[in-house]
């Protein structure tokens, strides 16, 4: 049976390029959603948060997050993190790989290999 595979991220991101190259090299058919260009719907992001946790999804090491005022970074909780990620999708860690509704956040070749074995 064919799997539904969607990879979410930002086109210019180096990690995204590696993940997409891995999928291409292994013949995995997928849909790419650029959430910087196309945004991300609140219900989708909230579903990701329920499944993976906002702490995993929020990219605290990126420049967008680091440039935030300290007041925006203080006392983060799920609701504030979701609002920040919706306002600035580049704060969502990438890639987010959705395979039949199961999420993987980030890219590690060995994890992708296990998913598509």
């Amino acid at each position: 049976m064919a799997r539904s595979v969607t990879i979410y991220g930002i086109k210019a991101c180096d990690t995204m390029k590696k993940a997409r190259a891995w999928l291409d090299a292994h013949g995995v058919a997928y849909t790419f959603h650029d959430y910087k260009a196309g945004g991300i719907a609140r219900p989708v992001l909230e579903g990701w948060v329920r499944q993976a946790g906002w702490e995993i999804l929020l990219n605290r090491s990126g420049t967008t997050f680091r440039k935030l005022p300290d007041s925006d970074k203080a006392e983060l909780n799920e609701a504030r993190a979701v609002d920040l990620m919706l306002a600035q999708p580049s704060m969502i860690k990438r890639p987010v790989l959705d395979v039949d509704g199961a999420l993987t956040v980030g890219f590690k070749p060995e994890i992708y290999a296990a998913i598509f074995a």
Side-chain angles (χ1 to χ4, degrees), residues 9-10 33-42 45 48 54 57-69 72-73 76 79-94 96:
I10 295 171
H33 179 90
D34 185 335
Y35 49 61
K36 190 167 186 178
I40 193 77
R42 179 178 287 274
L45 183 58
W48 292 356
W54 68 268
L57 286 165
L58 182 64
N59 183 6
R60 296 174 195 237
S61 61
T63 43
T64 305
F65 183 82
R66 289 195 318 261
K67 287 181 180 180
L68 286 175
D72 286 349
K73 294 187 255 185
L76 275 175
R80 292 192 60 207
V82 167
D83 288 343
L84 286 173
M85 290 185 279
L86 286 171
Q88 298 281 345
S90 57
M91 279 193 252
I92 303 170
K93 198 172 286 182
R94 17 189 210 274
V96 175

Side-chain angles (χ1 to χ4, degrees), residues 13-35:
C13 169
D14 288 340
T15 306
M16 284 298 305
K17 289 176 185 174
K18 291 175 192 173
R20 292 176 71 192
W22 190 98
L23 293 170
D24 291 340
H26 290 84
V28 177
Y30 62 90
T31 301
F32 170 60
H33 179 90
D34 185 335
Y35 49 61

